[in-house]
């Protein structure tokens, strides 16, 4: 296809050629247009714009949404039907921060300075470094999706380093003596197995606890298979773990108490919205201990 420009100078024609080449490259690779090209597209005269739209080189103006940051982030999250429940919950936490600070700004009007000011605001709100790092990563993800959808030409969070998401102040080693006290304070075999699996076998709670079935457990070979939704995307959908001597009695108790034909090892709190941490902290207090931060991760 050819684009006829009429009688214009050679310099102006060369400018059009360069920008059209940038548009073709961006459309082919799925990357943002250079800032100069994005500005050029925004200021196109109607006749030339209509020609580029008819060739499907650029998005028709009427199809480009003029929306706020709040609306865009909500639309993005609702469109990510591929994400697991707890991943969505993590993203929604960052959505609240972004909406509070810049939710009313028009999506295309957010600048790099706004992004930097958002990070400063998180610090003044007293957020931990790990929380700030996660917020930057997720915010960058929101705006990257807007670039890909050609709602904006560049990501205002590009170049802002999130920093470490580790928070050593929240790390806590749960000793053998402490976990034994907690296990004694548990109200039933299910809770004893939850704590034992997390502390002695290193299962993530709840993402690796709830998928565990009795078919995954091989008492004869003294091992069991852990299915991990968190690492499935990296080609590590499962791993095999020994049934350690410290874990065996709690697993056997739960097995003997399981009803005939029961599939899952952990039968309680299977609702994904259940808050295990609150009850776990009550049990830790009942054991005469002070609940530690990140209850299950530190196990």
């Amino acid at each position: 296809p050819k684009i006829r420009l009429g009688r214009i100078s050679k310099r102006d024609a060369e400018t059009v050629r360069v920008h059209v080449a940038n548009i073709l490259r961006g459309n082919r690779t799925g990357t943002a247009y250079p800032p100069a090209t994005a500005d050029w597209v925004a200021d196109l005269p109607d006749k030339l714009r209509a020609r580029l739209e008819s060739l499907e080189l650029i998005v028709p103006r009427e199809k480009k949404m003029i929306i706020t940051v709040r609306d865009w982030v909500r639309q993005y999250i609702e469109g990510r039907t591929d994400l697991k429940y707890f991943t969505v919950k993590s993203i929604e936490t960052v959505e609240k921060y972004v909406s509070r600070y810049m939710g009313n700004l028009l999506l295309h009007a957010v600048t790099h300075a706004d992004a930097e000011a958002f990070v400063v605001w998180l610090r003044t709100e007293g957020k931990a470094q790990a929380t700030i790092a996660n917020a930057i990563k997720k915010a960058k993800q929101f705006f990257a999706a807007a670039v890909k959808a050609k709602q904006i030409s560049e990501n205002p969070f590009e170049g802002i380093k999130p920093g470490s998401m580790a928070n050593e102040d929240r790390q806590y080693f749960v000793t053998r003596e402490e976990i034994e006290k907690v296990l004694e304070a548990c109200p039933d075999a299910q809770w004893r197995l939850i704590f034992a699996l997390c502390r002695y076998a290193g299962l993530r709670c709840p993402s690796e606890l709830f998928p565990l079935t009795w078919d995954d457990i091989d008492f004869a070979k003294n091992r069991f298979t852990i299915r991990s939704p968190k690492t499935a995307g990296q080609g590590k959908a499962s791993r095999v773990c020994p049934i350690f001597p410290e874990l065996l009695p709690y697993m056997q108790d739960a097995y003997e108490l399981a009803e005939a034909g029961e599939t899952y090892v952990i039968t309680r709190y299977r609702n994904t919205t259940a808050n295990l941490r609150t009850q776990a902290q009550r049990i830790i207090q009942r054991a005469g201990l002070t609940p530690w931060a990140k209850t299950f991760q530190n196990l």
Side-chain angles (χ1 to χ4, degrees), residues 162-181:
S164 173
M165 293 182 64
N167 187 347
E168 294 184 1
D169 292 338
R170 289 169 62 80
Q171 292 181 359
Y172 182 81
F173 179 73
V174 182
T175 66
R176 182 71 63 90
E177 293 74 18
E178 287 173 325
I179 195 60
E180 289 300 328
K181 288 180 181 179

Side-chain angles (χ1 to χ4, degrees), residues 148-278:
K148 189 173 288 188
K150 299 198 183 302
Q151 294 303 313
I152 55 178
S153 60
E154 57 184 352
N155 190 334
F157 280 85
E158 198 62 48
I160 296 180
K161 292 183 169 40
S164 173
M165 293 182 64
N167 187 347
E168 294 184 1
D169 292 338
R170 289 169 62 80
Q171 292 181 359
Y172 182 81
F173 179 73
V174 182
T175 66
R176 182 71 63 90
E177 293 74 18
E178 287 173 325
I179 195 60
E180 289 300 328
K181 288 180 181 179
V182 171
L183 290 167
E184 289 177 10
C186 287
D188 53 42
Q190 285 272 298
W191 266 108
R192 283 191 289 275
L193 185 56
I194 289 172
F195 272 105
L197 283 168
C198 291
R199 176 60 178 80
Y200 292 132
L203 269 72
R204 295 180 176 93
C205 178
S207 65
E208 293 178 350
L209 276 177
F210 289 157
L212 190 64
T213 68
W214 289 115
D215 287 340
D216 294 327
I217 297 174
D218 190 338
F219 285 108
K221 294 183 179 179
N222 203 43
R223 65 187 188 186
F224 68 107
T225 300
I226 301 168
R227 308 193 186 283
S228 179
K230 188 177 182 69
T231 58
Q234 292 105 46
K236 301 175 183 177
S238 65
R239 63 185 185 275
V240 176
C241 179
I243 302 177
F244 299 109
E246 297 88 347
L247 175 61
L248 181 60
Y250 303 107
M251 199 172 273
Q252 287 176 328
D253 285 349
Y255 181 73
E256 291 171 4
L257 292 170
E259 295 183 9
E262 183 64 65
T263 300
Y264 293 103
V265 174
I266 302 299
T267 57
R268 296 175 62 182
Y269 307 105
R270 298 202 62 80
N271 184 338
T272 55
T273 61
N275 186 350
L276 274 72
R277 186 178 66 244
T278 300

Side-chain angles (χ1 to χ4, degrees), residues 87-101:
T87 303
V88 172
K89 286 298 168 189
S90 173
I91 291 177
E92 286 179 339
T93 299
V94 178
E95 177 191 15
K96 292 176 184 175
Y97 300 151
V98 172
S99 293
R100 275 183 60 194
Y101 186 78

